[in-house]
Amino acid sequence: MGKSKNRLDLVGLGKKDYFDGVNYVRTVAGLRNVLTKPKQLSTNTSREVTFKGLCFGATIKEAKRLLGKPEFHVRQDQDVVGHEVLFYFSYVGSVKVTQCLHFLYGKFIMGQSIVKTPKPAKSKAIIESVLSGYNLMPENEEAAMGVLFPVCDGSFNRIEIHHVFDLILTYTTGDPEVLPLITKVQVQEKTRSSLLRRALPEQVVRYV
């Protein structure tokens, strides 16, 4: 798979400002919500679900080797412990796509493809390209493509679709050990402060 060389004109915005405005998952509640499996989830493809060929559990180094240098690298160390996001731009035909690759403790757990307010024909083409890659095209044109989501492989890695104003395709790991690892940074800081007070009782009392 070739590395993306396409760049987006940020129209005078700095990259940090631009990506701060992207509707990507960045909180504990958001990550837990996305990673929690839908009820009655079942396998419907024999192909492994990957994000542009990147397997879940891959490292940041492996992602950069496959996809090239990211547009931006965010370390969410004020929100979620161990959470990092790589941002890329690519194209599906003539449509520009913002891609957010999420890592937890250096391992790939989720990818999002975000298309800003696409026209119906563009959305249809993008959805078709995803489904055809997993041999899930509807039997006739009248069939609703949305009912074929989530795409789910034998390891419960899945692709979900959300389409209100933006079209968002979310690729999520099925690894059950990932969800319990998502914790707030404040919890870790409070624990560290508590340990410090127990280790240094005299100094704490002295300044109360």
Side-chain angles (χ1 to χ4, degrees):
M1 178 172 294
K3 297 178 181 179
S4 173
K5 299 297 183 183
N6 295 309
R7 303 277 173 168
L8 180 68
D9 180 3
L10 299 182
V11 197
L13 288 176
K15 289 182 180 179
K16 184 179 185 303
D17 293 329
Y18 176 82
F19 289 117
D20 277 346
V22 172
N23 185 27
Y24 71 96
V25 179
R26 66 192 79 189
T27 65
V28 167
L31 284 170
R32 286 178 176 168
N33 183 56
V34 171
L35 288 167
T36 299
K37 294 179 183 178
K39 292 181 180 179
Q40 299 178 337
L41 183 67
S42 60
T43 299
N44 59 2
T45 180
S46 59
R47 297 190 176 183
E48 180 184 7
V49 170
T50 67
F51 189 82
K52 297 194 72 174
L54 186 70
C55 297
F56 293 107
T59 65
I60 292 176
K61 184 177 180 179
E62 288 169 335
K64 291 180 177 179
R65 186 184 303 127
L66 177 65
L67 302 174
K69 182 180 178 181
E71 294 287 341
F72 203 58
H73 184 173
V74 175
R75 293 171 175 81
Q76 297 282 51
D77 46 8
Q78 293 186 1
D79 297 306
V80 183
V81 178
H83 184 207
E84 298 182 56
V85 187
L86 301 183
F87 292 92
Y88 289 88
F89 296 124
S90 70
Y91 285 80
V92 177
S94 62
V95 180
K96 290 177 180 177
V97 182
T98 300
Q99 295 171 326
C100 314
L101 281 70
H102 297 255
F103 296 80
L104 190 66
Y105 298 107
K107 301 294 184 181
F108 179 54
I109 61 167
M110 180 176 69
Q112 291 177 295
S113 292
I114 302 172
V115 186
K116 293 290 184 181
T117 56
K119 294 180 179 179
K122 298 291 187 182
S123 295
K124 183 174 183 290
I126 291 170
I127 293 169
E128 284 181 348
S129 69
V130 173
L131 291 176
S132 64
Y134 292 94
N135 295 326
L136 288 174
M137 287 299 293
E139 294 180 0
N140 56 71
E141 292 186 1
E142 288 74 28
M145 291 185 292
V147 300
L148 298 173
F149 288 90
V151 176
C152 181
D153 68 15
S155 298
F156 292 103
N157 303 317
R158 63 192 184 274
I159 308 171
E160 297 183 56
I161 184 173
H162 304 279
H163 193 186
V164 183
F165 298 106
D166 299 338
L167 172 64
I168 303 178
L169 290 161
T170 303
Y171 297 65
T172 310
T173 180
D175 185 349
E177 296 184 3
V178 170
L179 190 60
L181 296 177
I182 298 173
T183 57
K184 294 181 180 180
V185 170
Q186 293 111 328
V187 172
Q188 189 181 60
E189 290 175 348
K190 288 179 181 178
T191 301
R192 187 184 300 116
S193 298
S194 177
L195 289 172
L196 183 61
R197 285 195 297 271
R198 287 199 297 268
L200 302 170
E202 294 180 2
Q203 288 87 337
V204 173
V205 171
R206 186 178 302 163
Y207 291 99
V208 170

